[in-house]
Amino acid sequence: MIRTTKRSWRRPATLTVLATVALALSACGQGEGTDPNPGTTTPGRVATDDGATVATEDATASGSTPEIASVDGTVWVANEDGDSLSALDAATGEVVTTVTGIESPHNVQVSPDGSTVWAVSGHNNALVALDAETYELRGTAPTGTSPAHVIVTPDGETVYVTNAGDDTMSIYEADSLELRATIDLSAGPHGLRASPDGSTVVVANTTAGAIDVVDTATNAVAASIPVGDSPPQVAVSADGRYVYVTLIGSSSVVKVDLAEQQVIGSVAVPAPPVQLYLTADGARLLSADQGTDGTPGTTVTMIDPESMTVESTVQAGSGPHGVVIEPTGQRAWVTNLYDDTVSVIDLTAKATMATVTVGDKPNGISYSPLPPAPGPGTVEITVPEYATATGAGHDEH
């Protein structure tokens, strides 16, 4: 059922610049005198198969690992328990700006042109739009209960938000933040991704154990396909034919044929996975194997999506949760939920090359090819309280 509604959006509140506080790159993945991620190395060093570390130039000279290339851009991280977003310089690994005042931001997404950063506030039931160049608040709009993930269509014109608390999806016009429609989904909608041509949006429904395929022309659910126990996220192939889905309940990733509307492949991963991401060429699929608070996972699994076999595993931090890959397929970034870090992974060397300390409980993550804009170390914004008395907050996936 489609419930089309028009709601007003609120204009930006006053931007307050606080004292500059730069979060530095953790040179060896170290926090307070300890290494929370012993599987990572300092920039310029890579891990070998036996667990040792060698300098990049030595590894290249010996032929044991390829040269690690520089990648520019900005990586945005949603720190859910830190009520903030971190902007990382992809080239240096430094946190250049922290935007505070977004309560319980579970997910973040950069627009295709890199100009706008979208986030959801689980506490305030709000969609938040930031100007990526000025770090100012562009505007906000109310969502449904417990917003989970936010995406933008490839043309940058439409924004979709899943509302885990009321089993709906909110659809907005990107420029005005006007609510175009609210549609009903299967139980527990969470992660979602658009097909590359923007014709469909695929949603993972954790409670229903199914994915919903939404026709973006009609804003209607065209199909609901059972996939397995507790699917939190999806990835869509370049041709839109296949969808890959993480399954928390079976510690696996499955492949779904949308034409046949059924699961056609499966591969086990070391721990219950949450997010996953395809390289732009579709040749490699990464799974962030979070595990649980009691038994955290520590790996990112590289999967061949054609054969659905494990290519290799890379050691990350404690509780790998969100993952993003830049368009060339050389570099990936993974949020580590339980040690408040981001692992920087070189996909050619198949090794974690650096660890960056961010905010509390980092979850969603997104990449922009634009370098970070200069700005203060910390920027505070104010997001309106749209939440009702019940239903605010979000689970850890």
Side-chain angles (χ1 to χ4, degrees):
M1 179 178 69
I2 302 177
R3 300 198 297 272
T4 303
T5 312
K6 288 188 177 180
R7 298 179 183 173
S8 61
W9 63 284
R10 303 191 182 184
R11 294 192 177 277
T14 302
L15 184 95
T16 303
V17 179
L18 302 181
T20 301
V21 182
L23 296 177
L25 174 69
S26 177
C28 296
Q30 294 179 348
E32 297 296 325
T34 61
D35 188 351
N37 187 10
T40 61
T41 64
T42 58
R45 300 183 69 84
V46 296
T48 61
D49 292 338
D50 61 2
T53 63
V54 295
T56 303
E57 58 271 22
D58 294 340
T60 304
S62 67
S64 59
T65 55
E67 181 179 357
I68 296 178
S70 176
V71 174
D72 295 326
T74 307
V75 179
W76 285 88
V77 178
N79 305 303
E80 187 161 21
D81 284 5
D83 299 332
S84 65
L85 304 179
S86 298
L88 283 65
D89 187 328
T92 66
E94 294 179 336
V95 176
V96 294
T97 299
T98 300
V99 179
T100 65
I102 306 174
E103 295 191 61
S104 302
H106 185 70
N107 190 243
V108 62
Q109 180 70 51
V110 182
S111 62
D113 65 2
S115 66
T116 306
V117 180
W118 300 90
V120 289
S121 169
H123 182 275
N124 289 8
N125 288 351
L127 172 65
V128 179
L130 295 176
D131 187 307
E133 185 174 357
T134 65
Y135 304 108
E136 293 180 347
L137 183 63
R138 274 192 49 211
T140 67
T143 64
T145 307
S146 297
H149 279 227
V150 54
I151 64 165
V152 187
T153 49
D155 61 11
E157 295 183 357
T158 309
V159 178
Y160 294 83
V161 174
T162 49
N163 304 303
D166 56 24
D167 300 335
T168 65
M169 181 165 68
S170 303
I171 305 170
Y172 303 85
E173 200 279 328
D175 285 341
S176 67
L177 275 75
E178 179 183 356
L179 182 67
R180 289 179 173 175
T182 299
I183 67 173
D184 292 324
L185 298 174
S186 300
H190 193 76
L192 72 166
R193 295 261 168 75
S195 60
D197 65 1
S199 64
T200 61
V201 168
V202 183
V203 184
N205 301 287
T206 55
T207 305
I211 59 171
D212 286 342
V213 182
V214 177
D215 184 329
T216 58
T218 62
N219 288 335
V221 176
S224 291
I225 306 170
V227 292
D229 190 1
S230 300
Q233 182 57 297
V234 299
V236 184
S237 65
D239 61 5
R241 172 71 182 267
Y242 302 104
V243 174
Y244 305 90
V245 188
T246 45
L247 297 177
I248 294 173
S250 58
S251 295
S252 63
V253 176
V254 297
K255 182 177 183 178
V256 179
D257 186 323
L258 291 185
E260 300 295 331
Q261 296 191 15
Q262 63 180 358
V263 174
I264 61 169
S266 177
V267 62
V269 294
V274 180
Q275 291 196 31
L276 74 170
Y277 208 95
L278 267 172
T279 53
D281 62 6
R284 179 178 284 167
L285 178 67
L286 264 60
S287 166
D289 310 327
Q290 177 184 299
T292 64
D293 193 5
T295 309
T298 59
T299 58
V300 174
T301 302
M302 296 184 180
I303 298 168
D304 179 343
E306 177 68 25
S307 64
M308 290 300 287
T309 56
V310 172
E311 178 185 328
S312 62
T313 57
V314 176
Q315 287 296 311
S318 178
H321 178 97
V323 56
V324 69
I325 305 171
E326 49 79 29
T328 71
Q330 298 178 87
R331 188 86 75 253
W333 294 265
V334 178
T335 56
N336 300 305
L337 190 70
Y338 302 128
D339 63 18
D340 303 336
T341 63
V342 170
S343 294
V344 185
I345 298 176
D346 184 272
L347 296 180
T348 304
K350 299 180 183 179
T352 294
M353 56 183 290
T355 298
V356 184
T357 299
V358 289
D360 193 7
K361 287 290 179 69
N363 280 271
I365 189 167
S366 188
Y367 169 81
S368 168
L370 301 181
T378 303
V379 172
E380 183 179 16
I381 63 173
T382 300
V383 177
E385 175 67 63
Y386 295 115
T388 56
T390 60
H394 200 273
D395 294 333
E396 288 182 357
H397 53 253

PDB file of all heavy atoms in Angstrom, residues 190-228:
ATOM      1  N   HIS A 190      15.609  -2.950   6.631  1.00  0.00           N
ATOM      2  CA  HIS A 190      16.885  -2.449   7.137  1.00  0.00           C
ATOM      3  C   HIS A 190      17.726  -1.881   5.988  1.00  0.00           C
ATOM      4  O   HIS A 190      17.456  -0.806   5.503  1.00  0.00           O
ATOM      5  CB  HIS A 190      17.614  -3.562   7.888  1.00  0.00           C
ATOM      6  CG  HIS A 190      18.772  -3.068   8.685  1.00  0.00           C
ATOM      7  ND1 HIS A 190      18.619  -2.406   9.873  1.00  0.00           N
ATOM      8  CD2 HIS A 190      20.102  -3.109   8.454  1.00  0.00           C
ATOM      9  CE1 HIS A 190      19.798  -2.064  10.355  1.00  0.00           C
ATOM     10  NE2 HIS A 190      20.721  -2.473   9.502  1.00  0.00           N
ATOM     11  N   GLY A 191      18.762  -2.617   5.563  1.00  0.00           N
ATOM     12  CA  GLY A 191      19.622  -2.138   4.493  1.00  0.00           C
ATOM     13  C   GLY A 191      18.915  -2.170   3.150  1.00  0.00           C
ATOM     14  O   GLY A 191      18.013  -2.980   2.920  1.00  0.00           O
ATOM     15  N   LEU A 192      19.342  -1.280   2.246  1.00  0.00           N
ATOM     16  CA  LEU A 192      18.738  -1.211   0.914  1.00  0.00           C
ATOM     17  C   LEU A 192      19.743  -0.647  -0.063  1.00  0.00           C
ATOM     18  O   LEU A 192      20.643   0.096   0.316  1.00  0.00           O
ATOM     19  CB  LEU A 192      17.470  -0.365   0.928  1.00  0.00           C
ATOM     20  CG  LEU A 192      17.577   1.159   1.077  1.00  0.00           C
ATOM     21  CD1 LEU A 192      16.238   1.812   0.728  1.00  0.00           C
ATOM     22  CD2 LEU A 192      18.025   1.597   2.452  1.00  0.00           C
ATOM     23  N   ARG A 193      19.597  -1.030  -1.329  1.00  0.00           N
ATOM     24  CA  ARG A 193      20.443  -0.507  -2.395  1.00  0.00           C
ATOM     25  C   ARG A 193      19.613  -0.383  -3.667  1.00  0.00           C
ATOM     26  O   ARG A 193      18.710  -1.202  -3.918  1.00  0.00           O
ATOM     27  CB  ARG A 193      21.650  -1.421  -2.655  1.00  0.00           C
ATOM     28  CG  ARG A 193      22.630  -1.511  -1.464  1.00  0.00           C
ATOM     29  CD  ARG A 193      23.820  -0.601  -1.662  1.00  0.00           C
ATOM     30  NE  ARG A 193      24.620  -0.443  -0.466  1.00  0.00           N
ATOM     31  CZ  ARG A 193      25.453  -1.350   0.034  1.00  0.00           C
ATOM     32  NH1 ARG A 193      25.584  -2.526  -0.541  1.00  0.00           N
ATOM     33  NH2 ARG A 193      26.169  -1.082   1.106  1.00  0.00           N
ATOM     34  N   ALA A 194      19.942   0.603  -4.479  1.00  0.00           N
ATOM     35  CA  ALA A 194      19.289   0.774  -5.770  1.00  0.00           C
ATOM     36  C   ALA A 194      20.057   0.006  -6.839  1.00  0.00           C
ATOM     37  O   ALA A 194      21.270  -0.184  -6.737  1.00  0.00           O
ATOM     38  CB  ALA A 194      19.223   2.254  -6.141  1.00  0.00           C
ATOM     39  N   SER A 195      19.336  -0.444  -7.875  1.00  0.00           N
ATOM     40  CA  SER A 195      20.018  -1.008  -9.033  1.00  0.00           C
ATOM     41  C   SER A 195      20.766   0.116  -9.741  1.00  0.00           C
ATOM     42  O   SER A 195      20.399   1.289  -9.640  1.00  0.00           O
ATOM     43  CB  SER A 195      18.997  -1.648  -9.979  1.00  0.00           C
ATOM     44  OG  SER A 195      18.063  -0.679 -10.435  1.00  0.00           O
ATOM     45  N   PRO A 196      21.837  -0.194 -10.462  1.00  0.00           N
ATOM     46  CA  PRO A 196      22.622   0.863 -11.112  1.00  0.00           C
ATOM     47  C   PRO A 196      21.819   1.767 -12.047  1.00  0.00           C
ATOM     48  O   PRO A 196      22.136   2.944 -12.192  1.00  0.00           O
ATOM     49  CB  PRO A 196      23.690   0.076 -11.871  1.00  0.00           C
ATOM     50  CG  PRO A 196      23.875  -1.163 -11.051  1.00  0.00           C
ATOM     51  CD  PRO A 196      22.498  -1.502 -10.562  1.00  0.00           C
ATOM     52  N   ASP A 197      20.765   1.233 -12.682  1.00  0.00           N
ATOM     53  CA  ASP A 197      19.958   2.065 -13.563  1.00  0.00           C
ATOM     54  C   ASP A 197      18.847   2.793 -12.821  1.00  0.00           C
ATOM     55  O   ASP A 197      18.092   3.574 -13.422  1.00  0.00           O
ATOM     56  CB  ASP A 197      19.373   1.243 -14.715  1.00  0.00           C
ATOM     57  CG  ASP A 197      18.369   0.187 -14.241  1.00  0.00           C
ATOM     58  OD1 ASP A 197      18.091   0.093 -13.025  1.00  0.00           O
ATOM     59  OD2 ASP A 197      17.861  -0.556 -15.106  1.00  0.00           O
ATOM     60  N   GLY A 198      18.732   2.563 -11.508  1.00  0.00           N
ATOM     61  CA  GLY A 198      17.758   3.258 -10.698  1.00  0.00           C
ATOM     62  C   GLY A 198      16.328   2.776 -10.851  1.00  0.00           C
ATOM     63  O   GLY A 198      15.406   3.366 -10.269  1.00  0.00           O
ATOM     64  N   SER A 199      16.105   1.703 -11.596  1.00  0.00           N
ATOM     65  CA  SER A 199      14.736   1.235 -11.842  1.00  0.00           C
ATOM     66  C   SER A 199      14.130   0.499 -10.657  1.00  0.00           C
ATOM     67  O   SER A 199      12.903   0.420 -10.527  1.00  0.00           O
ATOM     68  CB  SER A 199      14.698   0.323 -13.073  1.00  0.00           C
ATOM     69  OG  SER A 199      15.464  -0.859 -12.849  1.00  0.00           O
ATOM     70  N   THR A 200      14.977  -0.054  -9.803  1.00  0.00           N
ATOM     71  CA  THR A 200      14.484  -0.771  -8.630  1.00  0.00           C
ATOM     72  C   THR A 200      15.308  -0.414  -7.400  1.00  0.00           C
ATOM     73  O   THR A 200      16.470   0.000  -7.499  1.00  0.00           O
ATOM     74  CB  THR A 200      14.543  -2.307  -8.815  1.00  0.00           C
ATOM     75  OG1 THR A 200      15.907  -2.703  -9.033  1.00  0.00           O
ATOM     76  CG2 THR A 200      13.681  -2.764  -9.976  1.00  0.00           C
ATOM     77  N   VAL A 201      14.697  -0.572  -6.244  1.00  0.00           N
ATOM     78  CA  VAL A 201      15.381  -0.507  -4.960  1.00  0.00           C
ATOM     79  C   VAL A 201      15.110  -1.827  -4.251  1.00  0.00           C
ATOM     80  O   VAL A 201      13.956  -2.259  -4.162  1.00  0.00           O
ATOM     81  CB  VAL A 201      14.879   0.677  -4.111  1.00  0.00           C
ATOM     82  CG1 VAL A 201      15.388   0.560  -2.678  1.00  0.00           C
ATOM     83  CG2 VAL A 201      15.333   1.996  -4.717  1.00  0.00           C
ATOM     84  N   VAL A 202      16.175  -2.464  -3.776  1.00  0.00           N
ATOM     85  CA  VAL A 202      16.040  -3.750  -3.102  1.00  0.00           C
ATOM     86  C   VAL A 202      16.284  -3.558  -1.612  1.00  0.00           C
ATOM     87  O   VAL A 202      17.277  -2.947  -1.216  1.00  0.00           O
ATOM     88  CB  VAL A 202      17.019  -4.793  -3.672  1.00  0.00           C
ATOM     89  CG1 VAL A 202      16.811  -6.149  -3.001  1.00  0.00           C
ATOM     90  CG2 VAL A 202      16.849  -4.914  -5.187  1.00  0.00           C
ATOM     91  N   VAL A 203      15.370  -4.076  -0.796  1.00  0.00           N
ATOM     92  CA  VAL A 203      15.403  -3.872   0.652  1.00  0.00           C
ATOM     93  C   VAL A 203      15.559  -5.204   1.364  1.00  0.00           C
ATOM     94  O   VAL A 203      14.862  -6.177   1.048  1.00  0.00           O
ATOM     95  CB  VAL A 203      14.107  -3.185   1.139  1.00  0.00           C
ATOM     96  CG1 VAL A 203      14.195  -2.898   2.634  1.00  0.00           C
ATOM     97  CG2 VAL A 203      13.835  -1.909   0.362  1.00  0.00           C
ATOM     98  N   ALA A 204      16.462  -5.259   2.346  1.00  0.00           N
ATOM     99  CA  ALA A 204      16.610  -6.436   3.200  1.00  0.00           C
ATOM    100  C   ALA A 204      15.703  -6.281   4.417  1.00  0.00           C
ATOM    101  O   ALA A 204      15.776  -5.280   5.126  1.00  0.00           O
ATOM    102  CB  ALA A 204      18.059  -6.593   3.650  1.00  0.00           C
ATOM    103  N   ASN A 205      14.844  -7.266   4.646  1.00  0.00           N
ATOM    104  CA  ASN A 205      13.899  -7.237   5.765  1.00  0.00           C
ATOM    105  C   ASN A 205      14.312  -8.284   6.796  1.00  0.00           C
ATOM    106  O   ASN A 205      14.090  -9.479   6.608  1.00  0.00           O
ATOM    107  CB  ASN A 205      12.481  -7.506   5.264  1.00  0.00           C
ATOM    108  CG  ASN A 205      12.037  -6.490   4.231  1.00  0.00           C
ATOM    109  OD1 ASN A 205      11.753  -5.345   4.546  1.00  0.00           O
ATOM    110  ND2 ASN A 205      12.003  -6.909   2.970  1.00  0.00           N
ATOM    111  N   THR A 206      14.931  -7.830   7.884  1.00  0.00           N
ATOM    112  CA  THR A 206      15.539  -8.753   8.845  1.00  0.00           C
ATOM    113  C   THR A 206      14.525  -9.670   9.508  1.00  0.00           C
ATOM    114  O   THR A 206      14.777 -10.860   9.694  1.00  0.00           O
ATOM    115  CB  THR A 206      16.301  -7.968   9.930  1.00  0.00           C
ATOM    116  OG1 THR A 206      15.419  -7.024  10.545  1.00  0.00           O
ATOM    117  CG2 THR A 206      17.481  -7.226   9.332  1.00  0.00           C
ATOM    118  N   THR A 207      13.388  -9.146   9.902  1.00  0.00           N
ATOM    119  CA  THR A 207      12.398  -9.967  10.608  1.00  0.00           C
ATOM    120  C   THR A 207      11.697 -10.929   9.670  1.00  0.00           C
ATOM    121  O   THR A 207      11.439 -12.091  10.025  1.00  0.00           O
ATOM    122  CB  THR A 207      11.355  -9.059  11.296  1.00  0.00           C
ATOM    123  OG1 THR A 207      12.030  -8.121  12.135  1.00  0.00           O
ATOM    124  CG2 THR A 207      10.404  -9.884  12.151  1.00  0.00           C
ATOM    125  N   ALA A 208      11.387 -10.479   8.469  1.00  0.00           N
ATOM    126  CA  ALA A 208      10.655 -11.315   7.508  1.00  0.00           C
ATOM    127  C   ALA A 208      11.532 -12.376   6.870  1.00  0.00           C
ATOM    128  O   ALA A 208      11.012 -13.361   6.323  1.00  0.00           O
ATOM    129  CB  ALA A 208      10.047 -10.428   6.426  1.00  0.00           C
ATOM    130  N   GLY A 209      12.859 -12.201   6.896  1.00  0.00           N
ATOM    131  CA  GLY A 209      13.736 -13.154   6.219  1.00  0.00           C
ATOM    132  C   GLY A 209      13.568 -13.104   4.712  1.00  0.00           C
ATOM    133  O   GLY A 209      13.668 -14.122   4.025  1.00  0.00           O
ATOM    134  N   ALA A 210      13.304 -11.906   4.190  1.00  0.00           N
ATOM    135  CA  ALA A 210      13.026 -11.747   2.767  1.00  0.00           C
ATOM    136  C   ALA A 210      13.568 -10.417   2.267  1.00  0.00           C
ATOM    137  O   ALA A 210      13.833  -9.505   3.052  1.00  0.00           O
ATOM    138  CB  ALA A 210      11.524 -11.810   2.511  1.00  0.00           C
ATOM    139  N   ILE A 211      13.727 -10.320   0.943  1.00  0.00           N
ATOM    140  CA  ILE A 211      14.035  -9.043   0.321  1.00  0.00           C
ATOM    141  C   ILE A 211      12.803  -8.564  -0.444  1.00  0.00           C
ATOM    142  O   ILE A 211      12.074  -9.356  -1.023  1.00  0.00           O
ATOM    143  CB  ILE A 211      15.257  -9.120  -0.615  1.00  0.00           C
ATOM    144  CG1 ILE A 211      15.037 -10.136  -1.742  1.00  0.00           C
ATOM    145  CG2 ILE A 211      16.522  -9.443   0.163  1.00  0.00           C
ATOM    146  CD1 ILE A 211      16.116 -10.111  -2.825  1.00  0.00           C
ATOM    147  N   ASP A 212      12.582  -7.244  -0.411  1.00  0.00           N
ATOM    148  CA  ASP A 212      11.523  -6.634  -1.209  1.00  0.00           C
ATOM    149  C   ASP A 212      12.161  -5.912  -2.383  1.00  0.00           C
ATOM    150  O   ASP A 212      13.159  -5.190  -2.216  1.00  0.00           O
ATOM    151  CB  ASP A 212      10.725  -5.622  -0.383  1.00  0.00           C
ATOM    152  CG  ASP A 212       9.785  -6.283   0.612  1.00  0.00           C
ATOM    153  OD1 ASP A 212       9.480  -7.479   0.448  1.00  0.00           O
ATOM    154  OD2 ASP A 212       9.362  -5.602   1.560  1.00  0.00           O
ATOM    155  N   VAL A 213      11.593  -6.099  -3.564  1.00  0.00           N
ATOM    156  CA  VAL A 213      12.047  -5.406  -4.773  1.00  0.00           C
ATOM    157  C   VAL A 213      11.018  -4.331  -5.099  1.00  0.00           C
ATOM    158  O   VAL A 213       9.868  -4.632  -5.406  1.00  0.00           O
ATOM    159  CB  VAL A 213      12.200  -6.381  -5.951  1.00  0.00           C
ATOM    160  CG1 VAL A 213      12.729  -5.647  -7.183  1.00  0.00           C
ATOM    161  CG2 VAL A 213      13.129  -7.535  -5.573  1.00  0.00           C
ATOM    162  N   VAL A 214      11.432  -3.072  -5.000  1.00  0.00           N
ATOM    163  CA  VAL A 214      10.529  -1.942  -5.191  1.00  0.00           C
ATOM    164  C   VAL A 214      10.742  -1.336  -6.576  1.00  0.00           C
ATOM    165  O   VAL A 214      11.869  -1.007  -6.961  1.00  0.00           O
ATOM    166  CB  VAL A 214      10.760  -0.872  -4.106  1.00  0.00           C
ATOM    167  CG1 VAL A 214       9.863   0.343  -4.352  1.00  0.00           C
ATOM    168  CG2 VAL A 214      10.508  -1.453  -2.725  1.00  0.00           C
ATOM    169  N   ASP A 215       9.648  -1.190  -7.334  1.00  0.00           N
ATOM    170  CA  ASP A 215       9.671  -0.536  -8.635  1.00  0.00           C
ATOM    171  C   ASP A 215       9.659   0.972  -8.390  1.00  0.00           C
ATOM    172  O   ASP A 215       8.689   1.517  -7.845  1.00  0.00           O
ATOM    173  CB  ASP A 215       8.439  -0.957  -9.430  1.00  0.00           C
ATOM    174  CG  ASP A 215       8.426  -0.396 -10.851  1.00  0.00           C
ATOM    175  OD1 ASP A 215       8.955   0.709 -11.069  1.00  0.00           O
ATOM    176  OD2 ASP A 215       7.868  -1.058 -11.737  1.00  0.00           O
ATOM    177  N   THR A 216      10.732   1.666  -8.778  1.00  0.00           N
ATOM    178  CA  THR A 216      10.828   3.085  -8.471  1.00  0.00           C
ATOM    179  C   THR A 216       9.911   3.945  -9.341  1.00  0.00           C
ATOM    180  O   THR A 216       9.652   5.107  -9.011  1.00  0.00           O
ATOM    181  CB  THR A 216      12.276   3.583  -8.623  1.00  0.00           C
ATOM    182  OG1 THR A 216      12.735   3.332  -9.956  1.00  0.00           O
ATOM    183  CG2 THR A 216      13.190   2.878  -7.633  1.00  0.00           C
ATOM    184  N   ALA A 217       9.410   3.413 -10.451  1.00  0.00           N
ATOM    185  CA  ALA A 217       8.485   4.168 -11.297  1.00  0.00           C
ATOM    186  C   ALA A 217       7.101   4.258 -10.656  1.00  0.00           C
ATOM    187  O   ALA A 217       6.407   5.269 -10.793  1.00  0.00           O
ATOM    188  CB  ALA A 217       8.381   3.534 -12.678  1.00  0.00           C
ATOM    189  N   THR A 218       6.713   3.194  -9.943  1.00  0.00           N
ATOM    190  CA  THR A 218       5.378   3.145  -9.344  1.00  0.00           C
ATOM    191  C   THR A 218       5.400   3.251  -7.829  1.00  0.00           C
ATOM    192  O   THR A 218       4.347   3.387  -7.205  1.00  0.00           O
ATOM    193  CB  THR A 218       4.682   1.829  -9.731  1.00  0.00           C
ATOM    194  OG1 THR A 218       5.442   0.723  -9.195  1.00  0.00           O
ATOM    195  CG2 THR A 218       4.571   1.692 -11.235  1.00  0.00           C
ATOM    196  N   ASN A 219       6.608   3.168  -7.225  1.00  0.00           N
ATOM    197  CA  ASN A 219       6.740   3.139  -5.766  1.00  0.00           C
ATOM    198  C   ASN A 219       5.884   2.026  -5.159  1.00  0.00           C
ATOM    199  O   ASN A 219       5.187   2.208  -4.155  1.00  0.00           O
ATOM    200  CB  ASN A 219       6.372   4.487  -5.142  1.00  0.00           C
ATOM    201  CG  ASN A 219       7.420   5.544  -5.398  1.00  0.00           C
ATOM    202  OD1 ASN A 219       8.586   5.223  -5.616  1.00  0.00           O
ATOM    203  ND2 ASN A 219       7.014   6.802  -5.392  1.00  0.00           N
ATOM    204  N   ALA A 220       5.957   0.865  -5.782  1.00  0.00           N
ATOM    205  CA  ALA A 220       5.221  -0.308  -5.311  1.00  0.00           C
ATOM    206  C   ALA A 220       6.165  -1.496  -5.208  1.00  0.00           C
ATOM    207  O   ALA A 220       7.144  -1.600  -5.968  1.00  0.00           O
ATOM    208  CB  ALA A 220       4.069  -0.638  -6.258  1.00  0.00           C
ATOM    209  N   VAL A 221       5.882  -2.396  -4.267  1.00  0.00           N
ATOM    210  CA  VAL A 221       6.684  -3.616  -4.121  1.00  0.00           C
ATOM    211  C   VAL A 221       6.314  -4.576  -5.243  1.00  0.00           C
ATOM    212  O   VAL A 221       5.174  -5.047  -5.332  1.00  0.00           O
ATOM    213  CB  VAL A 221       6.446  -4.277  -2.752  1.00  0.00           C
ATOM    214  CG1 VAL A 221       7.213  -5.592  -2.660  1.00  0.00           C
ATOM    215  CG2 VAL A 221       6.873  -3.336  -1.624  1.00  0.00           C
ATOM    216  N   ALA A 222       7.287  -4.860  -6.111  1.00  0.00           N
ATOM    217  CA  ALA A 222       7.041  -5.738  -7.255  1.00  0.00           C
ATOM    218  C   ALA A 222       7.211  -7.206  -6.896  1.00  0.00           C
ATOM    219  O   ALA A 222       6.614  -8.083  -7.533  1.00  0.00           O
ATOM    220  CB  ALA A 222       7.988  -5.376  -8.394  1.00  0.00           C
ATOM    221  N   ALA A 223       8.031  -7.486  -5.878  1.00  0.00           N
ATOM    222  CA  ALA A 223       8.260  -8.872  -5.471  1.00  0.00           C
ATOM    223  C   ALA A 223       8.823  -8.914  -4.066  1.00  0.00           C
ATOM    224  O   ALA A 223       9.546  -8.005  -3.650  1.00  0.00           O
ATOM    225  CB  ALA A 223       9.223  -9.568  -6.437  1.00  0.00           C
ATOM    226  N   SER A 224       8.485  -9.970  -3.329  1.00  0.00           N
ATOM    227  CA  SER A 224       9.100 -10.289  -2.033  1.00  0.00           C
ATOM    228  C   SER A 224       9.651 -11.695  -2.138  1.00  0.00           C
ATOM    229  O   SER A 224       8.910 -12.639  -2.452  1.00  0.00           O
ATOM    230  CB  SER A 224       8.078 -10.197  -0.894  1.00  0.00           C
ATOM    231  OG  SER A 224       7.685  -8.872  -0.670  1.00  0.00           O
ATOM    232  N   ILE A 225      10.956 -11.832  -1.890  1.00  0.00           N
ATOM    233  CA  ILE A 225      11.637 -13.105  -2.125  1.00  0.00           C
ATOM    234  C   ILE A 225      12.256 -13.611  -0.821  1.00  0.00           C
ATOM    235  O   ILE A 225      13.105 -12.932  -0.240  1.00  0.00           O
ATOM    236  CB  ILE A 225      12.739 -12.941  -3.182  1.00  0.00           C
ATOM    237  CG1 ILE A 225      12.162 -12.326  -4.475  1.00  0.00           C
ATOM    238  CG2 ILE A 225      13.418 -14.272  -3.470  1.00  0.00           C
ATOM    239  CD1 ILE A 225      13.218 -11.908  -5.479  1.00  0.00           C
ATOM    240  N   PRO A 226      11.864 -14.794  -0.335  1.00  0.00           N
ATOM    241  CA  PRO A 226      12.504 -15.370   0.869  1.00  0.00           C
ATOM    242  C   PRO A 226      13.980 -15.638   0.607  1.00  0.00           C
ATOM    243  O   PRO A 226      14.346 -16.159  -0.448  1.00  0.00           O
ATOM    244  CB  PRO A 226      11.727 -16.674   1.087  1.00  0.00           C
ATOM    245  CG  PRO A 226      10.459 -16.526   0.320  1.00  0.00           C
ATOM    246  CD  PRO A 226      10.793 -15.659  -0.856  1.00  0.00           C
ATOM    247  N   VAL A 227      14.841 -15.290   1.589  1.00  0.00           N
ATOM    248  CA  VAL A 227      16.278 -15.479   1.396  1.00  0.00           C
ATOM    249  C   VAL A 227      16.956 -16.221   2.546  1.00  0.00           C
ATOM    250  O   VAL A 227      18.036 -16.788   2.366  1.00  0.00           O
ATOM    251  CB  VAL A 227      16.993 -14.126   1.186  1.00  0.00           C
ATOM    252  CG1 VAL A 227      16.580 -13.506  -0.147  1.00  0.00           C
ATOM    253  CG2 VAL A 227      16.725 -13.164   2.337  1.00  0.00           C
ATOM    254  N   GLY A 228      16.367 -16.220   3.736  1.00  0.00           N
ATOM    255  CA  GLY A 228      17.009 -16.880   4.876  1.00  0.00           C
ATOM    256  C   GLY A 228      16.842 -16.083   6.154  1.00  0.00           C
ATOM    257  O   GLY A 228      16.087 -15.108   6.210  1.00  0.00           O
TER     258      GLY A 228
END
